[in-house]
Amino acid sequence: MCVGKLIGLMLFCMGIGMIIGMMVADSVVIIIAAAVCLLCGYHMFCR
């Protein structure tokens, strides 16, 4: 597995975890960080 795909998968999973964390605490910073991790992870993993 390529290193870029592995990092992308890790970022995507971190984004999913942050979305689950958003259900507990509502914060704009968490929403932005989750969106960035999901977008970057998706781009790196599916490229």
Side-chain angles (χ1 to χ4, degrees):
M1 187 179 235
C2 181
V3 174
K5 285 192 175 214
L6 183 62
I7 293 172
L9 181 62
M10 287 170 44
L11 285 172
F12 189 78
C13 290
M14 284 174 53
I16 295 291
M18 286 181 188
I19 287 177
I20 293 170
M22 276 188 329
M23 295 176 187
V24 176
D26 218 11
S27 176
V28 177
V29 177
I30 295 175
I31 294 170
I32 294 171
V36 168
C37 284
L38 285 171
L39 288 173
C40 290
Y42 180 78
H43 176 71
M44 291 177 75
F45 186 69
C46 295
R47 183 166 44 130

